[in-house]
Amino acid sequence: QWLRLDRYLAWIVTQADQAYHRTMSPRQAAVASALVLGHREQVEWDLQESLLTTGTIHLLAISGMHIDLVAVSIVTLCAFFHVNRKATLLITAALVVAYALLCGGNPPVARAAIVLVVLTAVRYFGRNVEPLNLLAAAALAVIVYHPGLIADVGAHLSFLAVGVLMLLGRTHHQERPEQV
């Protein structure tokens, strides 16, 4: 029983949440906990209603955007401290997986984390990869881990949205002439 990863993760999340509440006002702590850890239930209803009205409520749901922010922050810190490329890739992959596990690994988080880990592994070995293949690998991994998501429309839409963005990015990249 003492080797269960979920218990350690829950303990870390609880410690982080308590640290927010020790060092911030109650309202700020609730928002910080929602933004970083996904604890939306702590945010007062009037603030959630305001965010819903403005269309920014999705910021309180941990998603691929959060994974991307964590990854970019890690890469930036590694660049600041002149960490070599391969070590940066390993550190980024490890910390993104840790953050995804702490946040509960819902489908958008799992998708983004898997895409990032596969991408870092491919880059570590000096290879290129087709972005849609990364997305397909993430879809397979998410379905293997949680087969019930095959029937989840929200998960389908999440993957579809990312696929469309990848295709649009590719189209935009192909239309721009390469800079020498």
Side-chain angles (χ1 to χ4, degrees):
Q1 291 293 333
W2 59 272
L3 286 175
R4 290 188 45 190
L5 180 62
D6 59 336
R7 289 184 184 205
Y8 290 112
L9 294 173
W11 180 81
I12 292 169
V13 169
T14 301
Q15 295 303 310
D17 187 50
Q18 289 174 355
Y20 289 140
H21 287 281
R22 277 193 309 272
T23 58
M24 299 178 186
S25 71
R27 188 173 176 121
Q28 289 174 333
V31 171
S33 188
L35 286 172
V36 177
L37 303 171
H39 291 172
R40 285 174 60 172
E41 68 279 355
Q42 294 182 13
V43 178
E44 296 171 1
W45 179 244
D46 63 327
L47 179 57
Q48 286 189 41
E49 219 170 39
S50 298
L51 293 171
L52 190 61
T53 302
T54 61
T56 55
I57 190 74
H58 66 278
L59 294 174
L60 295 183
I62 302 297
S63 65
M65 177 186 72
H66 291 78
I67 296 293
D68 292 342
L69 288 171
V70 168
V72 167
S73 299
I74 295 165
V75 169
T76 302
L77 281 172
C78 287
F80 180 77
F81 289 108
H82 305 289
V83 177
N84 73 45
R85 181 181 162 275
K86 287 193 172 189
T88 297
L89 292 170
L90 291 174
I91 292 166
T92 303
L95 292 178
V96 161
V97 168
Y99 181 67
L101 289 172
L102 285 174
C103 294
N106 63 32
V109 169
R111 180 202 64 239
I114 292 166
V115 165
L116 195 128
V117 167
V118 173
L119 180 62
T120 57
V122 166
R123 297 297 169 140
Y124 184 87
F125 293 108
R127 304 289 204 156
N128 290 323
V129 66
E130 175 66 34
L132 290 175
N133 288 345
L134 289 174
L135 190 61
L140 286 173
V142 168
I143 289 171
V144 166
Y145 177 72
H146 196 314
L149 291 176
I150 289 175
D152 184 4
V153 175
H156 294 186
L157 291 174
S158 173
F159 277 93
L160 178 64
V162 172
V164 167
L165 291 173
M166 286 178 167
L167 288 172
L168 289 174
R170 178 191 304 168
T171 304
H172 179 70
H173 182 71
Q174 288 173 352
E175 290 175 0
R176 276 192 345 214
E178 289 296 320
Q179 296 177 354
V180 177

